[in-house]
Amino acid sequence: MVLLDFWTYGCINCIHIIPDLKKLEKKYPNELVRHRRALCKFENEKNLENIRRIILRYEIEHPIVNDADFNI
């Protein structure tokens, strides 16, 4: 099972869903593959260091792609 997560760290709904997604990862550790695409609506969200800070704050462990220029 593949879960694609389109996300911006400035979106409160994107932040609120993190615990639910972590529950899915824990429940299906071998069945679930998760990829998060960071959508960068605002200039500060394009900054890689800002994204790293948010990843650490919310203890996100899955891959995240920084799609700062909407190329993906």
Side-chain angles (χ1 to χ4, degrees), residues 5 21 25 34-36 55 59-64:
D5 184 13
L21 297 175
E25 289 174 333
R34 182 165 168 214
H35 294 280
R36 174 169 275 184
I55 290 168
E59 300 176 347
I60 298 170
E61 298 178 359
H62 55 272
I64 297 179

Side-chain angles (χ1 to χ4, degrees), residues 43-59:
E43 282 302 312
N44 62 315
E45 293 175 332
K46 293 180 181 184
N47 182 291
L48 190 56
E49 197 53 43
N50 288 344
I51 294 172
R52 281 189 183 124
R53 187 174 39 81
I54 297 300
I55 290 168
L56 293 173
R57 178 188 302 166
Y58 292 104
E59 300 176 347

Side-chain angles (χ1 to χ4, degrees), residues 18-31:
I18 291 173
D20 294 325
L21 297 175
K22 285 186 177 188
K23 286 178 190 174
L24 284 173
E25 289 174 333
K26 188 174 184 177
K27 185 174 182 177
Y28 302 103
N30 299 315
E31 295 88 358

